[in-house]
Amino acid sequence: MEEARPDTAPSSFAYRLRRDAGGAMGALRSLWQRRFVRWGAILLGAFLTACLLFWLIFARGLPDAATLLEYEPPLPTIVRDINGEPVHSYARERRVQLQYSDYPPLLIRAYLAAEDKTFFEHHGVDIPGFAGAVLDYARKFGSGQRARGGSTITQQVAKNLLIGDEYSPTRKVKEMILAYRMENVLSKQQILELYLNQIFLGRNAYGVQAASRAYFNKDVADLALHEMAYLSILPKGPANYRPESESGMARALDRRNWALGEMVRSGWITTAQRDAAAALPLGTVAMHSSSFDARAGGYYMEEVRRRLISLFGEKAEDGPNSVYAGGLWVRSPYDPVAQESTANALRNGLLRFDAGRGWSGPVAKINIERGWERELAASYIDVDYAEWRVAVIISRTSSEAQIGFADGSTGTLPAAQAQMAYRKSGGPAFSAMQPGDIIVVARNGANWALRNIPEVSGGMVVEEVHSGRIRAMQGGFDARLSSYNRATQAMRQPGSTIKPFVYAAALDSGMTPASIIVDGPLCVYQGAGLGQKCFRNFSGGSAGPQTMRWGVEQSRNLMTVRAASQTGMEKVVRTIKGMGIGDYQPYLSFALGAGDTTVEKMVNAYATLANHGRQFPSKVMDYVQDRRGKVIWPERWRPCDGCNMANWDGKPMPRFGMEGKQVMNPMTAYQVVHITEGVVQRGTATVLADLKRPLFGKTGTTNGPTNVWFVGGSPDLVAGVYIGYDQPRSLGGWAQGGRIAAPIWKAAMAPILETMPKTPFVAPAGIRMVPIDRRSGKRVYGAWPTSEPKAAVIWEAFKPESEPRRTIRKEEAEAQAKVAAAKAASGQRRHRSDADFLQDQGGIY
């Protein structure tokens, strides 16, 4: 009996467990039988399930309202000119960001009266307003009509910035949740600031300040009460209150007066103020695309845009400093006066060259069956020259054509005003016109007359010598006709404008401006593949031995090739590459400008010559600031502390370190400049001589001739221009740089240079100025150079110990030899002094 106990003990324990568990379950069953317990549990489960479903459907994945503390609305990029004035903007949304304190209190009250009178009382959701919206939604459900919103300003901010504009009850609930969260994170003033800065108000205006400019051309601080009331009604639907239509104007006046009445009911204005404001007209200005002149800059501003995009990206997704959303402030060296002069000179030059060649055809074509007004506006084709306008042919009869303009207006083009010859057929231009052709016309009395966009094109750049800052840039006839920038993108052969750099390599290799080079036939064997290459001068013929200076002034090809051959083409192309012009193979043809380059590169290289061989990269931007004013480009930019002090504090003045890169011997650079001054005084660019100021430069004409050039300038400003067809072909046998390009340069630069002092080119340390015979290159004694361009004796620049030595006549040499022989025979010897050595060498200069 004693041994059986251990076996029975576990069984007893299990029994007790079952008994106790059964008792607990029984107690629970007993409680469940009670009605209030059972219903309480069901309701609790339903509530928890509902909470879970609510979170899954509405709250899950909602953005964090705290992100609005760091929210930055998309802002346009603004470009300032050389004077610091805003001249251009890059924007897809017209917007100006202000702080809450910048908005007038009465303007804020106008928006509260129209949108959310209890804004400062609720916590994100207006319960009575929401209930009314629910009833309205139920009443309109299935009708296709949109129910009234009932959203508070906080909800509108949540919708616009965080969750989007989907029309559904789900979005409305999400809006309410976010509005509640926002009220816990942001102050009322911060919410209103977000709202007033980002709300869309029509005319591509985002934010109240942008709308104030778009509708009234005023800042918000200058708005009158009736104008504030009009802006306050626009959030509900700007298209409903467009002042351009009679019905929109009527609705706008009615709704504006309603907003004024709401302000009275809220106690924010008096009845007299309301009546006075309601009696006034709407007062909006005509719709315009921007507060900036869209014509300003043209090619220049497009180049700025391209460079900004390469640095910071285009869209908001590309980074916080993107061009169309980052709110950048760009300071540029753009000079409106220089740009206008440059653009006009190049355009007039193109028209002058193209005159008499006939009509080159339509600018473009559109499909007028899809609506000519919309298609023409969508083409973005325009022209900014004189009183010319872009039009489309709507219809044509034998005697006249009906034309339409981008603003929707129409006009008549008589056949008699379109009789210039069509280049492709030779017949009248009018006969070649078809509906859908986009043409250019000008007013002629009550009708219009055909005008022609030149088929030939070109580019021009104006750059500061001592900084590389580009003051003006024109890349064609009009940027809105063709955005292709021929000043920076067109790769063209520079022709003879490359020659100064060939001679610079020769000067570095021991030649001087007075060195004699043979202007005679030259043929070079270039190998089995290329065979024999013979060179010739542009005008043919040869002149025999001449000085380097004469060869540059007269642009002699044979002398240039011979100098390059004697110097070595490896040295020549190395010099050209160092100046940033191009990376060429060591073939002699490149010494005559056969390699491709751009106007911008050539102008920068010539500016480097004028700057004693110190090169600055050409730039269209001085610096770039982010929306808060911090300079973000150049990367190593540093402010000049103390530069703008009102008074000197007695401490050391700010000093700037040496900038730029020395790419050429300063004396060589000056020698080249001094030689090319002769191009203007008596060479191929004498058309510029009557400007009566120190100028240097070089003309250029390529084979064909397909391009004509002139590049040069003053000690402070250099400019370059080329003319040629986009698809290179001959300009005509008479075309030369001195005849076509140099006059354009003169027309552009004369007004600019008039505002600048006449400063001479200053020689660097070490240069020796020696009087020489201009034609022979020999040193001259007993005569003094004059200012006459073709004087026989001129000053020439030499490096130390490279100037021509003293020469003596034959009989003098023989007499000296007899004296020396006699002294040697008599045994007379004396120590040679320094004076004897210097006398033999021609003295010190």
Side-chain angles (χ1 to χ4, degrees):
M1 297 294 292
E2 294 292 333
E3 295 177 357
R5 288 178 182 175
D7 295 332
T8 60
S11 175
S12 175
F13 178 71
Y15 170 75
R16 288 198 301 273
L17 285 175
R18 287 194 299 272
R19 184 190 64 189
D20 294 341
M25 291 298 295
L28 288 174
R29 283 195 294 271
S30 177
L31 286 173
W32 187 255
Q33 297 299 323
R34 298 179 182 181
R35 180 177 300 178
F36 73 90
V37 173
R38 186 169 63 252
W39 281 104
I42 292 172
L43 290 175
L44 178 62
F47 175 75
L48 293 175
T49 302
C51 288
L52 177 62
L53 290 174
F54 184 85
W55 179 82
L56 289 172
I57 297 173
F58 300 110
R60 185 180 63 165
L62 285 180
D64 187 355
T67 58
L68 293 177
L69 289 170
E70 301 176 355
Y71 172 73
E72 294 180 336
L75 293 178
T77 290
I78 307 297
V79 181
R80 296 181 184 270
D81 65 12
I82 195 171
N83 303 311
E85 295 296 325
V87 292
H88 197 81
S89 71
Y90 308 110
R92 293 197 172 104
E93 296 179 359
R94 182 186 298 183
R95 189 194 305 272
V96 179
Q97 186 175 12
L98 299 181
Q99 296 181 347
Y100 177 80
S101 58
D102 295 326
Y103 289 101
L106 195 59
L107 175 63
I108 294 174
R109 289 168 181 163
Y111 273 94
L112 295 180
E115 292 291 313
D116 190 357
K117 288 190 286 291
T118 61
F119 174 75
F120 283 99
E121 300 167 11
H122 61 65
H123 195 72
V125 179
D126 180 13
I127 301 302
F130 175 70
V134 170
L135 291 175
D136 191 50
Y137 180 82
R139 185 168 56 252
K140 295 178 179 177
F141 183 76
S143 66
Q145 297 180 355
R146 186 161 183 152
R148 65 184 180 90
S151 295
T152 63
I153 284 178
T154 310
Q155 287 176 265
Q156 292 184 54
V157 172
K159 174 189 69 176
N160 294 329
L161 299 183
L162 297 176
I163 60 176
D165 196 21
E166 177 193 0
Y167 178 63
S168 70
T170 302
R171 191 264 297 167
K172 184 65 69 175
V173 176
K174 292 180 179 180
E175 202 178 272
M176 294 170 63
I177 297 170
L178 279 174
Y180 181 81
R181 292 180 181 177
M182 285 171 55
E183 295 276 352
N184 292 331
V185 174
L186 305 175
S187 67
K188 290 287 188 179
Q189 289 76 16
Q190 288 174 313
I191 294 172
L192 268 176
E193 181 180 308
L194 286 170
Y195 175 78
L196 295 172
N197 280 331
Q198 59 82 34
I199 191 70
F200 175 65
L201 299 173
R203 290 193 175 182
N204 199 32
Y206 291 79
V208 179
Q209 169 62 21
S212 179
R213 277 287 171 187
Y215 287 99
F216 300 107
N217 200 26
K218 295 181 179 179
D219 294 324
V220 290
D222 301 324
L223 290 173
L225 175 59
H226 71 286
E227 295 166 338
M228 296 178 182
Y230 172 70
L231 293 180
S232 73
I233 67 172
L234 295 176
K236 281 291 189 290
N240 296 327
Y241 310 114
R242 296 176 69 246
E244 290 81 15
S245 66
E246 292 185 9
S247 58
M249 176 71 77
R251 287 192 297 267
L253 287 170
D254 184 62
R255 187 69 175 176
R256 181 201 68 177
N257 295 341
W258 168 85
L260 291 169
E262 292 297 307
M263 294 180 74
V264 172
R265 280 186 282 277
S266 298
W268 290 328
I269 61 172
T270 64
T271 303
Q273 287 177 301
R274 180 201 61 188
D275 294 341
L280 295 173
L282 214 54
T284 56
V285 298
M287 186 174 179
H288 55 284
S289 58
S290 172
S291 58
F292 299 99
D293 185 357
R295 299 170 296 178
Y299 289 102
Y300 193 111
M301 293 304 161
E302 177 60 19
E303 186 65 25
V304 172
R305 187 186 76 92
R306 274 196 289 263
R307 299 191 187 188
L308 284 172
I309 289 175
S310 68
L311 289 170
F312 305 111
E314 181 177 1
K315 303 175 183 177
E317 299 80 33
D318 298 327
N321 298 315
S322 63
V323 174
Y324 286 98
L328 304 179
W329 288 89
V330 182
R331 183 63 178 263
S332 81
Y334 170 78
D335 185 341
V337 176
Q339 178 65 32
E340 182 179 7
S341 180
T342 301
N344 289 339
L346 182 60
R347 288 171 170 175
N348 291 335
L350 296 176
L351 288 169
R352 188 164 55 246
F353 179 88
D354 198 67
R357 297 173 184 266
W359 187 52
S360 56
V363 175
K365 292 183 71 70
I366 60 173
N367 186 350
I368 62 173
E369 294 180 358
R370 294 184 294 193
W372 66 264
E373 300 99 328
R374 181 171 58 84
E375 290 291 310
L376 182 59
S379 71
Y380 295 105
I381 295 175
D382 201 357
V383 63
D384 175 30
Y385 180 80
E387 300 298 323
W388 292 13
R389 293 185 66 181
V390 166
V392 61
I393 303 292
I394 302 173
S395 62
R396 184 180 70 101
T397 66
S398 59
S399 60
E400 64 180 31
Q402 188 76 6
I403 58 176
F405 301 97
D407 59 5
S409 61
T410 60
T412 301
L413 173 66
Q417 298 297 327
Q419 288 300 303
M420 67 177 74
Y422 182 37
R423 296 184 189 183
K424 293 183 179 180
S425 65
F430 187 82
S431 301
M433 293 177 182
Q434 299 295 328
D437 286 350
I438 296 179
I439 61 174
V440 177
V441 296
R443 175 67 72 178
N444 184 22
N447 295 318
W448 298 87
L450 181 66
R451 294 291 181 264
N452 184 58
I453 298 297
E455 191 175 4
V456 70
S457 197
M460 187 169 185
V461 171
V462 181
E463 180 178 312
E464 293 179 0
V465 167
H466 307 295
S467 64
R469 304 167 77 216
I470 294 178
R471 298 266 292 270
M473 176 188 295
Q474 186 71 12
F477 191 83
D478 198 302
R480 284 164 295 179
L481 293 172
S482 169
S483 62
Y484 181 59
N485 191 339
R486 296 156 188 86
T488 61
Q489 295 176 298
M491 301 297 293
R492 313 294 294 202
Q493 292 182 345
S496 295
T497 58
I498 203 73
K499 290 179 181 178
F501 307 100
V502 176
Y503 287 110
L507 291 167
D508 277 337
S509 298
M511 288 189 180
T512 74
S515 293
I516 299 298
I517 305 172
V518 175
D519 182 33
L522 178 65
C523 294
V524 178
Y525 181 69
Q526 302 181 99
L530 298 175
Q532 189 93 340
K533 170 68 175 178
C534 291
F535 297 90
R536 62 181 294 273
N537 288 317
F538 180 82
S539 59
S542 58
Q546 301 288 341
T547 64
M548 177 190 290
R549 168 179 286 279
W550 186 87
V552 176
E553 292 177 353
Q554 303 303 318
S555 197
R556 306 298 285 187
N557 291 345
L558 292 175
M559 294 179 67
T560 306
V561 173
R562 197 177 298 274
S565 179
Q566 294 175 4
T567 303
M569 276 305 297
E570 289 80 5
K571 293 181 180 179
V572 171
V573 295
R574 187 162 57 245
T575 298
I576 293 172
K577 180 180 179 180
M579 299 298 289
I581 296 172
D583 188 2
Y584 307 136
Q585 295 298 313
Y587 301 138
L588 281 173
S589 58
F590 289 117
L592 298 179
D596 289 337
T597 188
T598 66
V599 179
E600 180 187 16
K601 291 178 180 179
M602 290 303 297
V603 169
N604 186 252
Y606 272 73
T608 302
L609 289 176
N611 199 35
H612 292 171
R614 181 166 289 275
Q615 187 175 60
F616 291 89
S618 58
K619 55 186 178 182
V620 293
M621 299 182 294
D622 292 330
Y623 56 85
V624 180
Q625 297 168 278
D626 65 14
R627 65 175 67 207
R628 295 179 180 83
K630 178 184 176 182
V631 176
I632 57 177
W633 185 88
E635 294 179 355
R636 291 180 291 178
W637 185 89
R638 291 187 303 166
C640 181
D641 297 326
C643 286
N644 293 325
M645 289 189 299
N647 298 297
W648 182 42
D649 59 3
K651 297 180 181 179
M653 300 294 285
R655 293 289 185 270
F656 294 95
M658 182 67 74
E659 297 184 14
K661 178 182 178 183
Q662 194 71 42
V663 296
M664 181 179 284
N665 184 317
M667 290 186 285
T668 300
Y670 177 76
Q671 284 180 302
V672 173
V673 169
H674 191 249
I675 291 171
T676 51
E677 283 188 89
V679 175
V680 175
Q681 294 166 355
R682 53 189 164 266
T684 57
T686 53
V687 68
L688 307 178
D690 60 0
L691 292 178
K692 307 288 185 188
R693 63 187 308 126
L695 294 173
F696 81 110
K698 185 70 186 72
T699 57
T701 307
T702 61
N703 283 340
T706 57
N707 303 285
V708 290
W709 289 73
F710 181 80
V711 187
S714 72
D716 300 308
L717 215 58
V718 166
V721 59
Y722 94 89
I723 300 295
Y725 291 103
D726 287 343
Q727 297 297 324
R729 67 175 191 266
S730 176
L731 294 169
W734 61 276
Q736 295 181 29
R739 291 178 177 175
I740 299 175
I744 293 174
W745 190 98
K746 180 180 180 180
M749 294 299 292
I752 301 172
L753 293 173
E754 281 180 2
T755 64
M756 304 176 69
K758 294 182 179 180
T759 55
F761 292 96
V762 178
I767 282 290
R768 298 183 178 185
M769 303 303 295
V770 177
I772 68 166
D773 179 78
R774 180 170 60 86
R775 294 306 303 268
S776 68
K778 293 181 179 180
R779 190 165 188 163
V780 175
Y781 296 91
W784 198 256
T786 67
S787 59
E788 287 297 320
K790 293 186 179 182
V793 180
I794 63 171
W795 290 111
E796 193 59 271
F798 293 92
K799 296 175 183 175
E801 304 302 326
S802 70
E803 63 271 25
R805 299 302 179 187
R806 181 189 298 272
T807 58
I808 58 176
R809 290 188 294 273
K810 181 179 179 180
E811 55 269 26
E812 291 177 339
E814 291 174 350
Q816 289 183 8
K818 289 179 181 180
V819 171
K823 289 181 178 179
S826 64
Q828 296 181 10
R829 293 184 179 275
R830 92 182 155 83
H831 179 71
R832 286 177 58 81
S833 66
D834 288 343
D836 293 329
F837 173 79
L838 294 174
Q839 182 67 27
D840 292 346
Q841 298 301 314
I844 295 178
Y845 306 95

